[in-house]
Amino acid sequence: MNSSRPNAKYFEFTLFVDYGNLRYLFFALCFLIYATIISANMVIIVTVLLEKSLHEPMYVFICLLSVNSLYGSAGFFPRLLFDLLSDTHLISRASCFVQIYVIYTYAFCEFGTLAVMAYDRLVAICQPLHYRARMSVRKAVRLWAAAVSFPALCVCCVVSFTIRLPLCGNKLERVSCANRAVVDNSCVDTSHVNIAGHFTVFTCIFIPFFFVLYTYMRILVVCRQGSAEVRGKALQTCVPHLMTFVIYSCSVFLELVISKYNNDPVATAVLSLEYLIVPSISNTLIYGMKLPQIRTAVVRRFRIKIKIKKMVSNPSLLS
């Protein structure tokens, strides 16, 4: 670490280099990915909100997953697009900590939402006669709010500890702000921040992870003992959720492993972007293609919009 303390008001991303005209290609690619994430998730959100037949807990959770994807990508992509076209790659101290908070709460809230969705499926399949009494849209939103409030509070505590650290450097070997990268620039002992970070990771990632595994063990037992109709219902509603859970879990655990054990900062930065990009796109593809209710509603909304445009452009169709 540097012995002299640099300007602590700014951090510098050191992995951005001058690729010449290639940076415009990278900008176009990232912009396309961001536009895809926004448009795909907005389709899911608007469809669930407008279709009364989708005002059920399961579809509300899918809508909340899309909202979380928009939230997380908004904390990352605008800054990345700006840096790709900028000659200087500085970010203010305040903006850096805001980005850390947004990205981390996105990651942990995703696990919380998936855990609540697993509970919803557990009740629907294992106790179908009591499902209406135990689950409603209002209860679903309350469960989701409880599941994401604790991670948001934990991240707030960790970030508040990091903000107070005196810094002997301002270099971040990343393309976005990360709490560990900021802590590495500290001049003092950071054990209390590390303990808070490990506690947050354990409670906000591993506990929801093992809870989801537990619910699917219960669901598997019921399916093996149940009829073909029960197995068919479980297959239709659980496979999309299970695919989303596996993809996101692999992305997050990959980020945890490479950030801790990989000594190549470029590979670490590139691979760590997966949990911000892949789940946000795959969620909409999985639920749009696997759940016929959402697929049918999207197609119907699209056809209505096309029909209205044709009527506006050709008034004779109204007669």
Side-chain angles (χ1 to χ4, degrees):
M1 293 184 182
N2 299 331
S3 57
S4 60
R5 185 174 178 178
N7 184 357
K9 292 183 178 180
Y10 294 93
F11 292 106
E12 180 183 1
F13 298 125
T14 61
L15 293 187
F16 286 100
V17 297
D18 187 9
Y19 289 105
N21 291 332
L22 280 178
R23 67 176 179 172
Y24 298 108
L25 177 61
F26 295 149
F27 175 87
L29 179 62
C30 291
F31 181 82
L32 179 62
I33 293 174
Y34 188 35
T36 302
I37 291 174
I38 291 176
S39 57
N41 283 283
M42 283 301 299
V43 168
I44 296 294
I45 294 171
V46 172
T47 301
V48 172
L49 291 178
L50 295 182
E51 286 289 330
K52 291 185 178 181
S53 61
L54 299 181
H55 291 179
E56 298 289 339
M58 181 175 68
Y59 304 110
V60 171
F61 289 134
I62 294 172
C63 180
L64 292 171
L65 276 179
S66 292
V67 171
N68 194 46
S69 294
L70 293 179
Y71 168 72
S73 58
F76 169 72
F77 276 101
R79 181 70 212 188
L80 176 65
L81 294 173
F82 174 81
D83 282 321
L84 286 172
L85 296 182
S86 177
D87 294 326
T88 59
H89 308 106
L90 300 176
I91 184 172
S92 68
R93 185 182 177 94
S95 298
C96 186
F97 284 114
V98 169
Q99 187 178 62
I100 290 174
Y101 182 81
V102 171
I103 292 177
Y104 281 45
T105 50
Y106 152 77
F108 297 146
C109 289
E110 192 85 355
F111 265 115
T113 305
L114 290 171
V116 177
M117 292 177 72
Y119 172 75
D120 174 71
R121 293 299 85 204
L122 176 68
V123 176
I125 294 171
C126 299
Q127 300 176 346
L129 298 180
H130 302 282
Y131 180 75
R132 294 293 178 184
R134 297 185 60 176
M135 289 296 295
S136 64
V137 172
R138 180 173 295 181
K139 289 182 179 179
V141 174
R142 288 177 179 175
L143 282 174
W144 173 82
V148 301
S149 296
F150 181 72
L153 180 61
C154 287
V155 174
C156 185
C157 292
V158 173
V159 172
S160 67
F161 291 154
T162 307
I163 289 176
R164 296 185 177 92
L165 293 176
L167 302 178
C168 292
N170 67 340
K171 307 293 185 182
L172 303 180
E173 292 185 335
R174 309 270 301 193
V175 294
S176 63
C177 289
N179 197 69
R180 178 185 292 272
V182 174
V183 171
D184 287 342
N185 284 284
S186 177
C187 312
V188 297
D189 178 55
T190 60
S191 57
H192 64 294
V193 182
N194 295 329
I195 292 173
H198 290 145
F199 173 80
T200 300
V201 168
F202 176 77
T203 55
C204 299
I205 291 182
F206 287 99
I207 290 180
F209 177 81
F210 286 113
F211 175 77
V212 174
L213 293 183
Y214 166 76
T215 59
Y216 273 103
M217 289 176 60
R218 291 277 306 274
I219 291 173
L220 182 61
V221 171
V222 171
C223 289
R224 291 186 61 183
Q225 299 174 350
S227 62
E229 181 181 356
V230 172
R231 289 193 292 270
K233 179 182 178 181
L235 185 67
Q236 179 183 2
T237 60
C238 290
V239 167
H241 176 263
L242 188 58
M243 291 174 62
T244 302
F245 172 71
V246 170
I247 291 173
Y248 187 72
S249 297
C250 291
S251 299
V252 170
F253 289 137
L254 177 64
E255 153 70 5
L256 292 176
V257 171
I258 63 178
S259 63
K260 188 172 182 63
Y261 298 107
N262 191 1
N263 294 323
D264 185 353
V266 176
T268 299
V270 173
L271 293 175
S272 66
L273 302 181
E274 182 187 0
Y275 81 102
L276 287 165
I277 298 175
V278 175
S280 296
I281 296 177
S282 63
N283 288 355
T284 55
L285 295 177
I286 290 171
Y287 287 112
M289 295 177 65
K290 290 294 183 180
L291 291 181
Q293 295 88 342
I294 291 183
R295 186 170 63 249
T296 302
V298 170
V299 172
R300 183 166 60 250
R301 287 284 167 183
F302 181 76
R303 286 178 177 174
I304 292 174
K305 187 176 294 186
I306 294 295
K307 186 176 181 180
I308 292 174
K309 288 184 177 180
K310 287 183 177 179
M311 289 181 176
V312 172
S313 62
N314 190 0
S316 61
L317 294 175
L318 296 173
S319 59

